[in-house]
Amino acid sequence: MDTEHTDAERGALDAYSRVVTGVAAALLPSVAALAVRTPRGAGAGSAVTFTDDGFLLTNAHVVAGANGGTAAFADGTETTFDVVGADALSDLAVVRVHHSGAPAAPLGDADGLRIGQLVVAVGNPMGLAGSVTAGVVSGLGRSLPARDGRRVRIIDNVIQTDAALNPGNSGGALADSTGVVVGVNTAVAGYGLGLAVPVNRTTRQIISELLTTGRVRRAWLGVAGVPVPLPPPIAERLGQKLGLRVVEVVPGSPAGTAGIYLGDILITAGGEPVQTVQALQRLMLGPAIGRNLPITVLRKNAFVDVVSIPSELA
């Protein structure tokens, strides 16, 4: 019986090892070490190639204050890069190397991750020829505050993992067992705890804007709210437990002009359920600016439909 257990454990460890080594072999050629120098001093981090023509994805804080720097790949190739665009409020940035050649890593969708799922963190911190650690997804739906000057935004659905992150791994890839990139390692939250910005529909939109315009435009509705439980009959009817109670409407804002009032409970916006502030934030990206945004609110136990036209956040 002990022999059977030993064989089973050995087989499981062999399978685990094959996954990690396979992911490492696939992704290390795509991951670069970035070195930047700004008036504040030198900085370093990692980045992952995601197009065949030399565009890399990294953290905004890695390249903050820099227009470019040097990228070094695991095969010894070194080249300069330019910062294409950075968005501090999502902690994502896109850079482009002057001499491409690294293979593009595939981008996946973190919305399909499950707690306990195996993930592999791949970075290329300065002084190390590639760094690979493995662990599991230990939490989903975490929130991480991000600041750009006086503006603060919550990066939602942050991935929490126990894969150890070495210094300089910020901007590196967090991949699933198939080698698909599902996150960008962004911070060490504490001993044995790492966080990564997810790759999903929202971040893909941010990446697209950084590629095309170098910045991320955000829409402004002019409303603040807090999550509240919906009355049980309505919650059962909608299949939605929470709404967003309006606690502030800026006078003359798109929300105020549309006829949203204090005490209203936002139910949906743009056809999407609104149960948290983050759910509303996800809709407030560039494509929403100047376009009709249908909103359903609950007012005195009656549904009211309004149409708002978000403006650009200055």
Side-chain angles (χ1 to χ4, degrees):
M1 196 68 174
D2 289 341
T3 302
E4 291 179 5
H5 284 168
T6 301
D7 290 343
E9 290 171 359
R10 185 181 296 115
L13 287 173
D14 287 345
Y16 177 87
S17 179
R18 284 194 297 270
V19 168
V20 176
T21 55
V23 172
L27 289 186
L28 278 174
S30 304
V31 177
L34 301 186
V36 301
R37 185 170 294 278
T38 71
R40 296 182 178 180
S46 300
V48 57
T49 308
F50 68 100
T51 73
D52 291 326
D53 50 352
F55 287 97
L56 286 75
L57 187 61
T58 186
N59 288 145
H61 75 259
V62 169
V63 295
N67 295 319
T70 303
F73 290 86
D75 65 356
T77 301
E78 290 192 14
T79 182
T80 54
F81 71 85
D82 295 322
V83 176
V84 176
D87 178 47
L89 294 181
S90 64
D91 199 19
L92 292 174
V94 172
V95 304
R96 188 175 193 181
V97 295
H98 290 178
H99 300 285
S100 61
L107 298 184
D109 186 357
D111 289 347
L113 289 176
R114 296 175 295 172
I115 292 178
Q117 184 172 339
L118 174 65
V119 285
V120 181
V122 182
N124 197 345
M126 297 303 290
L128 297 174
S131 172
V132 179
T133 56
V136 298
V137 175
S138 54
L140 292 168
R142 288 285 304 270
S143 296
L144 181 68
R147 182 180 295 274
D148 182 12
R150 290 182 298 175
R151 291 189 294 169
V152 178
R153 183 180 183 273
I154 300 298
I155 304 174
D156 60 338
N157 292 326
V158 169
I159 304 164
Q160 176 183 310
T161 172
D162 63 359
L165 298 181
N166 299 308
N169 264 5
S170 283
L174 185 72
D176 65 14
S177 60
T178 66
V180 171
V181 178
V182 292
V184 178
N185 298 319
T186 188
V188 177
Y191 180 76
L193 178 63
L195 300 176
V197 176
V199 174
N200 55 24
R201 184 177 64 176
T202 301
T203 50
R204 283 175 181 274
Q205 192 170 336
I206 290 171
I207 294 166
S208 177
E209 290 206 37
L210 291 175
L211 282 169
T212 55
T213 67
R215 68 187 186 96
V216 176
R217 297 192 307 155
R218 284 188 166 80
W220 179 64
L221 197 58
V223 65
V226 295
V228 294
L230 295 176
I234 293 176
E236 185 176 354
R237 172 183 167 187
L238 298 177
Q240 178 177 332
K241 294 182 178 180
L242 300 175
L244 203 64
R245 184 183 297 280
V246 175
V247 296
E248 181 182 1
V249 180
V250 177
S253 67
T257 303
I260 296 176
Y261 303 111
L262 290 176
D264 285 350
I265 299 176
L266 303 184
I267 303 297
T268 64
E272 299 286 338
V274 176
Q275 301 191 70
T276 63
V277 174
Q278 291 89 340
L280 191 59
Q281 283 183 340
R282 283 196 294 269
L283 301 173
M284 295 293 104
L285 291 173
I289 297 171
R291 295 187 178 182
N292 289 347
L293 180 69
I295 298 173
T296 298
V297 305
L298 183 65
R299 181 181 300 160
K300 297 180 180 179
N301 289 323
F303 291 109
V304 178
D305 293 323
V306 300
V307 176
S308 179
I309 304 177
S311 57
E312 184 169 359
L313 179 65

